[in-house]
């Protein structure tokens, strides 16, 4: 978690089975609404969370955890799992095969992906002070 930020609620834990991803996405949006009133920012947070969770379900293993934190102006969302779902733990780290990381790169103010054979952690930060995009 980013220094100076306070966690918003307990981490959301689930497996790739069932509706855990949908529940996590909704919970993140609800918690983000305590920080941001801008619906566009909330849409962005929800979309990035959905992409991160989808990657964890598709490419990860074990328990998936989503943690949300804020310092009152920025929101930090982290999606982690127990590592790449591959038979060779010494193999190359997983790569995003869809649009997930591209979406996060376009929408987040900051983001990162940390991978080891036993853990994958994707995080992003949204700054609520940035100007809203005009459509």
């Amino acid at each position: 978690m980013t220094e100076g930020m306070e966690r918003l609620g307990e981490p959301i834990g689930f497996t790739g089975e069932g509706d855990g991803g949908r529940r996590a996405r909704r919970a993140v949006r609800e918690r983000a609404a305590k920080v941001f009133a801008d619906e566009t920012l909330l849409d962005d947070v929800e979309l990035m969370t959905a992409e991160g969770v989808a990657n964890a379900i598709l490419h990860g293993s074990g328990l998936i955890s989503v943690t949300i934190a804020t310092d009152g102006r920025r929101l930090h969302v982290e999606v982690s799992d127990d590592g790449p779902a591959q038979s060779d733990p010494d193999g190359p780290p997983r790569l995003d095969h869809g649009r997930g990381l591209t979406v996060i790169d376009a929408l987040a103010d900051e983001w990162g992906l940390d991978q080891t054979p036993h853990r994958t952690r994707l995080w992003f930060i949204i700054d609520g002070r940035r100007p809203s995009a005009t459509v």
Side-chain angles (χ1 to χ4, degrees):
M1 187 163 34
T2 302
E3 188 175 323
M5 290 199 171
E6 181 178 320
R7 197 167 60 198
L8 290 175
E10 292 300 313
I12 304 156
F14 58 97
T15 64
E17 304 296 320
D19 68 344
R22 181 175 48 83
R23 287 185 295 106
R25 187 184 75 236
R26 286 184 181 167
V28 169
R29 185 182 182 109
E30 288 170 5
R31 293 178 191 181
K34 295 176 182 178
V35 180
F36 303 142
D38 184 327
E39 289 294 322
T40 301
L41 286 178
L42 294 174
D43 290 345
D44 289 351
V45 168
E46 185 174 5
L47 177 59
M48 288 186 287
T49 300
E51 295 294 347
V53 165
N55 279 349
I57 290 170
L58 181 63
H59 302 292
S61 62
L63 183 67
I64 299 165
S65 179
V66 180
T67 306
I68 306 101
T70 187
D71 64 3
R73 67 174 177 84
R74 296 177 302 152
L75 190 78
H76 180 273
V77 177
E78 178 176 308
V79 179
S80 62
D81 62 64
D82 291 335
Q86 60 186 20
S87 57
D88 179 10
D90 295 321
R94 74 182 193 220
L95 299 174
D96 183 52
H97 296 296
R99 63 186 179 105
L101 294 182
T102 303
V103 168
I104 292 169
D105 186 53
L107 297 176
D109 291 302
E110 299 175 46
W111 71 278
L113 178 67
D114 306 315
Q115 295 178 297
T116 70
H118 305 291
R119 183 168 185 243
T120 298
R121 183 177 73 98
L122 170 71
W123 59 270
F124 61 85
I125 295 175
I126 293 285
D127 191 329
R129 298 178 304 169
R130 72 178 180 186
S132 295
T134 55
V135 180

